[in-house]
Amino acid sequence: MAQIRIYNQETNTYLSIDFNLQQAISDTTTTGDLDCYLIISTNVPTVTGGTFPRFKVRTLSDVPTGYVAPAANFDQLCQWYYEYITVESQITLSSSSSSSEQYSSSSSSSSECYSSSSSSSSSSSEGYSSSSSSSSEGYSSSSSSEEYSSESEGNISSSSTDQI
Amino acid sequence: MAINFNIYSPSNASTKTVVVDFVADYLASNSGVSASTKYFFKFTTSARKTDNSRYDVRIVEALDDLVLDEGVKKQRITNTAAAYTDIKSMIMDYIYDYVQGHDAGEYGTTVTEQLPMKFN
């Protein structure tokens, strides 16, 4: 699973965006084939205080509303979702003024959130990696569409013990 | 959350596992001046090939990262150069390649020989 964590310095809490690889028998086909897809979920609140839907991604054309499909690769696709969610929720990011590179050491001061991304694999080793946030090309509009509704969203409440 | 694919060999009554995960990590090839994480699929297995050698970890960043990449860029199952249509077809093709291996020159003279998975 890949996860972006967004740290709020004022409340010492985290929000997160999760990218989960999942498999299931698809209920949309009559063949009963196994399907594999990404589920993108977040506990970042929308600007109105609501919750984002869970996004189901099967192809590189499953992009957020307002972006031009297809994404070039999964790296770009995930950055678009990150950008879409943070823009929609109007989270202020300290590193948002930086270049198009994904990593930026935050320098500008007047903001409240710091973001990091990390990954974990159930099978092996790789450790923690921090990074993130950028503003890249493409975003334009607002309302969300491609949502995946299934079980209710697991609300990952922030753990105050975590440290960057 | 990783997905485990168990591959069973009836003739050997044994099972091997290929683990597929979606991660965000630094790639060594991407380090240097521009340090950034990359999002990609990662295939790992502790199974061995029939010559007892290990499989390399395989990285997939896009649906046009085709499994046969030794100069021919082909899908393993269909022998086409078209990008995979979805995540499922990409994963299945990579799993198939892990299990079956392929012979030198099967789809072109530049294909490096690989060996099937060892179950005994």
Side-chain angles (χ1 to χ4, degrees):
Chain A
M1 181 186 75
Q3 183 182 65
I4 294 172
R5 306 182 77 201
I6 304 168
Y7 179 59
N8 187 323
Q9 290 176 308
E10 294 178 349
T11 60
N12 191 32
T13 56
Y14 287 93
L15 297 171
S16 63
I17 303 172
D18 295 340
F19 303 84
N20 260 313
L21 179 61
Q22 297 187 6
Q23 63 177 337
I25 303 294
S26 174
D27 64 354
T28 58
T29 68
T30 56
T31 61
D33 281 351
L34 184 71
D35 198 9
C36 301
Y37 47 84
L38 292 171
I39 292 294
I40 301 172
S41 58
T42 180
N43 62 350
V44 173
T46 63
V47 68
T48 58
T51 57
F52 283 97
R54 293 154 61 93
F55 300 96
K56 182 177 182 179
V57 172
R58 297 184 69 253
T59 75
L60 288 171
S61 294
D62 294 332
V63 300
T65 302
Y67 291 80
V68 179
N73 51 43
F74 290 100
D75 195 45
Q76 184 179 52
L77 185 69
C78 291
Q79 288 187 49
W80 282 358
Y81 273 98
Y82 167 81
E83 188 177 67
Y84 175 79
I85 289 170
T86 53
V87 169
E88 281 291 303
S89 63
Q90 296 184 7
I91 284 181
T92 307
L93 297 169
S94 59
S95 56
S96 61
S97 61
S98 65
S99 70
S100 61
E101 288 298 331
Q102 192 183 10
Y103 179 84
S104 64
S105 56
S106 58
S107 53
S108 60
S109 53
S110 60
S111 53
E112 55 184 292
C113 290
Y114 176 90
S115 72
S116 68
S117 90
S118 65
S119 69
S120 64
S121 165
S122 67
S123 59
S124 61
S125 56
E126 278 84 326
Y128 179 82
S129 60
S130 76
S131 91
S132 214
S133 112
S134 62
S135 50
S136 56
E137 70 277 330
Y139 182 79
S140 62
S141 79
S142 54
S143 63
S144 67
S145 64
E146 316 191 12
E147 54 192 74
Y148 171 69
S149 61
S150 65
E151 65 262 49
S152 60
E153 169 136 1
N155 207 10
I156 307 166
S157 61
S158 51
S159 65
S160 58
T161 55
D162 288 331
Q163 298 290 329
I164 291 180
Chain B
M1 178 163 44
I3 297 176
N4 288 0
F5 289 91
N6 293 327
I7 301 134
Y8 179 67
S9 168
S11 59
N12 295 289
S14 67
T15 301
K16 302 296 180 185
T17 303
V18 176
V19 180
V20 186
D21 202 359
F22 186 72
V23 299
D25 270 341
Y26 285 104
L27 288 174
S29 59
N30 194 49
S31 61
V33 177
S34 175
S36 64
T37 52
K38 287 282 188 185
Y39 292 83
F40 53 86
F41 293 89
K42 185 169 74 173
F43 291 74
T44 57
T45 181
S46 59
R48 301 289 185 104
K49 302 176 189 176
T50 47
D51 67 350
N52 222 31
S53 60
R54 293 183 182 278
Y55 287 94
D56 294 333
V57 174
R58 306 182 79 169
I59 302 298
V60 178
E61 294 184 62
L63 291 181
D64 58 359
D65 287 350
L66 306 179
V67 67
L68 301 184
D69 60 359
E70 297 292 334
V72 293
K73 288 284 188 182
K74 293 285 184 73
Q75 294 186 27
R76 171 67 173 87
I77 297 175
T78 62
N79 191 25
T80 63
Y84 297 113
T85 54
D86 50 39
I87 292 170
K88 174 208 165 184
S89 60
M90 178 274 291
I91 288 178
M92 292 306 157
D93 203 39
Y94 271 78
I95 298 287
Y96 185 67
D97 187 56
Y98 264 105
V99 177
Q100 300 296 331
H102 56 272
D103 297 323
E106 185 173 358
Y107 292 147
T109 55
T110 55
V111 176
T112 302
E113 180 179 8
Q114 290 189 340
L115 297 163
M117 188 172 281
K118 180 182 178 183
F119 284 94
N120 55 12

